Amino acid sequence: MKERFRRSMAGLAAITLALGGVSAPLMAQNAPAPAGPTPNGPTDAQLMDDANSTGDVLTYGMGPRAQRFSPLTQINAENVGKLVPAFAASLGGEKQRGQESQPLVYDGTIYVTGSYSRLFAFDARTGEQKWKYEARLPDGIMPCCDVVNRGAAIYGDKIIFATLDARLVALNRHTGKVVWNKQIADYQAGYSATAAPLIVHGMVITGNSGGEFGIVGAVEARDVNTGELIWHRPVVEGNMGTLRGKDNGITGKLNATWEGDQWKTGGGATWLGGTYDPDTNLLYFGTGNPAPWNSHLRKGDNLYTASTLAIDPDTGVIKWHFQTTPHDGWDFDGVNEFIPFDATINGKPMKLGAKADRNGYFFVLDRTNGKFISASRFVMKTTWAEGFTKDGKPIVIPAGRPGDPAAAAKGPSVFSSPSFLGGKNWMPMAYNQGTGLFYVPSNDWGMDIWNEPISYKKGAAFLGAGFTIKPIAEDHIGALRAMDPKTGKIVWEYKNKAPLWGGVLTTAGNLVFTGTPEGYLKAFDAKTGQELWKFQTGSGVVGSPVTWEQDGEQYVAVMSGWGGAVPLWGGEVAKSFKDINQGGSLWVFKMPKG
Ligand code: CA
Ligand code: CA
């Protein structure tokens, strides 16, 4: 594995220049910026209404709830077969790798982030490049799973994104010039950042990456105008939070579910960002694996790793938590997006949230208080648990846990499904308000996994485990599944030979869009799953598609560019797809004229 890390780092060695960040002067601003009109760009109110405003895409997830649902119907299941490219725009550069970004669209401009911490502004009508920004990454950054970035956030005259050296950069959206540039965490300790920031109440809310290096996961809020820290909330029990420079209480209860000092290097990276629900005024962030992977070295549930957390956006205080994989031993990061939605369950209208977890279960919770409603298996096989009790506890299969190496160099190996890359990894699902279904990009695969002794060393991989990923089905690994959140049943599925690694978009036009590593953007009937359209983009699609309306026409856009964790970590699976060409292009589609 160390070899793997070195190999993935090698591509980065050429980028050695130090960051020349410019910090804006600190402003004496003690309260979040008031919601209200910002003269020259999106306001808080506009960000909150993004799901309804069809002329723009202002947020990662197409709305703070990240349902990735558009009410547009001009392109629909009847006519999508005629969809054609309007233009494509290349990110250029010699270094390509995974393009996992979701475009933002505002005021005639498409903003996309690219691999290696780049941000581009393209003309939304022609695809012509307006400007680009390339972060100067220091040597020695340690992203575990490719040099990706998942998207930016827009606010007023700024566009903001996270960089691989664990910084947050705000640019002037007209010029691409740096407005402020702040360090989130120490990249030399293994921290990095790849998620799209979330903006709530005039604050930029971000998480961190680095769960494979014994970091401490955290969520934090910064003033969007200055980048100044407002609150910081570590998500591992025992660590102290802050609010406006003062201590604001320990997370959880010291040593309740961790032994000794293990909480100081406990992982729980919040690497996928979060969602926000204006109804409950709560942020929802998922947390990653506990560190190290070898679970025999850290007894207890290890809260709040592998969990969904509800956080007060104004103070950073945790309001409730739900742990999806207690005492994780398989790298089942619980970071997956928690999507607020409303539905009537047993005759009762409820404010709910859903999450398709890396551990292979689709969870529905009461989003007001975290109360468990249901957990349904959405993959072929789960070897670690048989299901969940009505109280929301996993019915664990003890033989599914990799063995204790004790003093030996290698503990007994077990076969586990899902693999550590998960029943679902980072790629976001979508919720269609018309069909009432969630569309989950999932993967059926397994792994041999074993534990090894390990001790913490700053900036070194902190796993204590080895693994080999394997397919478990003859005909597919990827499966796009339509889940009914009321019944937990799979309504339809589309099987794909390669692992699915891109996000999903759904529309009121009865459509579901997603990409494949084989290079296609595909459209499906949202009710039946029938494939209706596909287009070959020239490289694997691992980005998240969006749609909007411009000059009276509906557009669809997606990033193309193969990469991400599968080629780096996929074992036997990666070998099967080693011939997929890399790339880095924005593709934009619309209906032909007339
Ligand atoms: Ca919008
Ligand atoms: Ca992990």
Side-chain angles (χ1 to χ4, degrees), residues 22 29 38 45 88 170 200 249 274 295 298 306 321 409 454 459 462 489 514:
V22 179
Q29 188 166 2
T38 305
V200 175
S295 61
R298 44 168 174 77
H321 71 275
I454 183 88
F462 189 40
K489 296 272 187 298
T514 200

Side-chain angles (χ1 to χ4, degrees), residues 421-444:
L421 289 177
K424 175 174 169 297
N425 200 284
W426 79 276
M427 54 283 191
M429 62 182 181
Y431 173 70
N432 189 308
Q433 294 171 9
T435 63
L437 301 175
F438 280 87
Y439 300 98
V440 184
S442 68
N443 288 310
D444 293 318

Side-chain angles (χ1 to χ4, degrees), residues 7-8 76 126 189 221 235 250 315 384 393 412 420 449 452 502 514:
R7 204 179 306 162
S8 66
N76 54 57
T126 64
V235 299
I250 285 173
T315 63
W384 72 280
K393 302 290 178 210
F420 76 95
I449 179 168
E452 297 161 355
T514 200

